[in-house]
Structures are given as structure tokens and as C-alpha cells.
């Protein structure tokens, strides 16, 4: 089992550009979560899916953020346009029964 | 809204000493998780506690859960440098969905 796979590992982009983060959950896991981690705010839940359906997106900070899960093996988190305050580490996690399995994260820097 | 509080936020301890990290949460839950995060790395699952009175041990770490007190503890025995990391507790609120609420984290530094 390869675990939860995120790409890219690092992303540096200029303010105003579109950024797409990708996640492949563990096969058979029916929940997928996107988190953002910063020093100031800790771990924040942005959105989560159950069986590819978005259940709660109340943590998405602004309309600039959107997430999709077109199938059970792939999800994207998109920021358009990006801003410097979006700089953070973005984690994807999947869940089947008990306990999340986290991906390695994407470190996003918006300059 | 569920609140999950950890203390201390920062902990510096000498090798060989014992210490406890506390995780308090504000509403009923029977499931609590502990994670470890090394600097620049992802979160790694340490313990899954699924009922009142649950106790799990792995090496120098032992976690327990008291659902009546809404308290979980992570006890460190005879600390070693390799335990230096940030430790998070997370409470599982299964309704309306499998959403975890994470504590603020405890940054542990073990000094020789």
C-alpha cells in the first residue's frame, strides 16, 4: 500500500496564479479530507468528501478555494487566484474506519 | 463547537525523565487519536483509543482515555531524544460525519 499520495511536494508560485494540489487516497478509503497547516492557525479542516461527494466545505476560506473529487482515487484542491496568505502546508488524508492516514503534504509558497 | 485543548503547548524535558501531555475536549466522544509530527513531515498515527478506559502503549509512550472526564493523556517514560516532535490529539465527532477536531499540538524537545 503506497499510502496517501500528494503532489507536488513543493510549489512556489506568484501571487495571482492558479495553483492545483493533487491527492490520491488509499484504495478503499471512502472519506477524504483536505487540511491546511500554518504556525498561526495550526491544522484547519478545509473540506471533506464521503464517497466522492463533498460533505462539508465550511472550512474553505474563500471562493478562491475549490475542491473536487471526480472519482474514488483522485481529488484536487485549487486556489485561483493565489495570494501570499495562502502560503501553508496542505495535507490530504483518507479514512476508512478509524484514524486518518495523512499524505506527505504540499508546501505552498505564494510570493 | 467542539474544542480540543492540549497542554502544555511547549515542553522541554531532559532525557530519562517522565512527563505527561494532556488533551481535554469539550463534548462527548468515545474516540480519540494521537499523532506525531516531525519537523517538515506529515502526521503519523500513534494511538487509536476507542472506549472509556482504553490504554495503549508503544515503547516509551502510553496513551489513555477517560471519556467521562473528557480527557486523554500521553505519558512519556524515560524520554529519549528521538521522541522530540510535535504531538497532536484529535477527537472524532462521528456526527454528522467522520470529522476530526485536532488539538493545538504539543511541541516536545528532549535535551541530553
Amino acid at each position: 500500500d503506497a499510502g496517501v499520495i500528494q503532489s507536488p511536494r513543493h510549489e512556489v508560485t506568484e501571487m495571482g496564479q492558479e495553483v492545483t494540489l493533487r491527492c490520491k487516497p488509499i484504495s478503499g478509503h471512502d472519506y477524504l479530507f483536505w487540511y491546511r497547516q500554518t504556525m498561526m492557525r495550526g491544522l484547519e479542516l478545509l473540506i471533506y468528501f464521503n464517497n466522492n461527494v463533498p460533505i462539508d466545505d465550511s472550512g474553505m476560506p474563500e471562493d478562491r478555494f475549490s475542491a473536487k473529487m471526480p472519482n474514488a482515487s483522485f481529488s484536487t484542491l485549487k486556489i485561483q487566484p493565489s495570494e501570499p496568505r495562502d502560503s501553508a502546508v496542505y495535507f490530504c488524508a483518507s479514512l476508512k474506519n478509524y484514524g486518518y492516514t495523512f499524505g506527505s503534504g504540499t508546501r505552498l509558497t505564494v510570493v | 463547537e467542539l474544542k480540543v485543548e492540549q497542554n502544555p503547548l511547549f515542553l522541554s524535558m531532559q532525557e530519562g525523565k517522565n512527563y505527561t501531555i494532556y488533551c481535554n475536549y469539550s463534548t462527548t466522544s468515545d474516540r480519540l487519536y494521537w499523532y506525531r509530527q516531525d519537523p517538515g513531515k506529515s502526521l503519523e498515527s500513534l494511538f487509536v483509543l476507542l472506549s472509556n478506559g482504553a490504554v495503549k502503549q508503544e515503547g516509551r509512550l502510553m496513551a489513555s482515555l477517560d471519556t467521562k472526564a473528557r480527557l486523554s493523556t500521553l505519558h512519556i517514560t524515560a524520554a529519549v531524544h528521538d521522541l522530540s516532535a510535535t504531538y497532536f490529539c484529535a477527537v472524532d465527532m462521528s456526527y454528522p460525519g467522520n470529522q476530526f477536531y485536532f488539538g493545538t499540538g504539543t511541541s516536545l524537545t528532549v535535551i541530553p
Side-chain angles (χ1 to χ4, degrees), chain B:
Chain B
E1 181 182 326
L2 174 65
K3 292 186 179 180
V4 183
E5 296 181 340
Q6 285 182 239
N7 69 83
L9 297 183
F10 298 94
L11 176 57
S12 180
M13 56 189 298
Q14 285 190 315
E15 280 191 332
K17 299 293 187 181
N18 304 332
Y19 207 82
T20 300
I21 298 171
Y22 297 89
C23 174
N24 292 273
Y25 52 98
S26 62
T27 193
T28 303
S29 174
D30 289 337
R31 296 192 283 208
L32 189 133
Y33 307 84
W34 284 96
Y35 289 85
R36 168 182 172 144
Q37 186 178 33
D38 291 298
K41 302 292 186 182
S42 185
L43 284 82
E44 172 192 354
S45 179
L46 290 176
F47 298 110
V48 178
L49 303 170
L50 299 177
S51 61
N52 185 41
V55 178
K56 295 281 183 73
Q57 182 163 5
E58 180 73 33
R60 301 174 187 274
L61 301 178
M62 183 174 71
S64 65
L65 178 61
D66 182 343
T67 59
K68 294 180 181 178
R70 300 177 185 172
L71 171 69
S72 179
T73 61
L74 181 65
H75 186 73
I76 304 156
T77 301
V80 293
H81 180 69
D82 286 352
L83 290 179
S84 297
T86 298
Y87 294 85
F88 292 91
C89 63
V91 176
D92 179 359
M93 291 298 294
S94 293
Y95 179 83
N98 283 300
Q99 183 172 338
F100 287 16
Y101 288 82
F102 281 85
T104 49
T106 295
S107 177
L108 171 66
T109 302
V110 181
I111 52 180

Side-chain angles (χ1 to χ4, degrees), chain A residues 44-109:
Chain A
E44 301 174 277
L45 176 65
L46 300 178
I47 185 171
Y48 76 95
F49 297 83
N50 179 213
N51 293 322
N52 314 337
V53 177
I55 302 300
D56 185 351
D57 65 354
S58 60
M60 298 284 260
E62 300 171 35
D63 291 345
R64 299 183 295 106
F65 286 69
S66 63
K68 294 181 180 179
M69 192 165 185
N71 57 61
S73 59
F74 184 65
S75 177
T76 59
L77 177 67
K78 185 178 293 186
I79 308 172
Q80 165 64 17
S82 58
E83 296 183 3
R85 59 194 167 119
D86 302 331
S87 297
V89 179
Y90 291 81
F91 287 105
C92 172
S94 69
L95 167 72
K96 183 169 178 62
N97 291 316
Y98 302 113
Y100 287 3
T101 300
F102 282 86
S104 300
T106 295
R107 182 173 295 275
L108 174 64
T109 304

Side-chain angles (χ1 to χ4, degrees), chain A residues 13-59:
Chain A
T13 191
E14 291 186 343
M15 182 174 62
Q17 296 298 306
E18 177 180 297
V19 176
T20 299
L21 312 181
R22 298 172 176 80
C23 176
K24 176 180 168 54
I26 292 173
S27 177
H29 283 201
D30 45 12
Y31 284 87
L32 183 139
F33 304 80
W34 282 100
Y35 278 85
R36 177 172 69 177
Q37 186 178 37
T38 61
M39 288 293 293
M40 292 297 293
R41 294 187 298 270
L43 276 163
E44 301 174 277
L45 176 65
L46 300 178
I47 185 171
Y48 76 95
F49 297 83
N50 179 213
N51 293 322
N52 314 337
V53 177
I55 302 300
D56 185 351
D57 65 354
S58 60

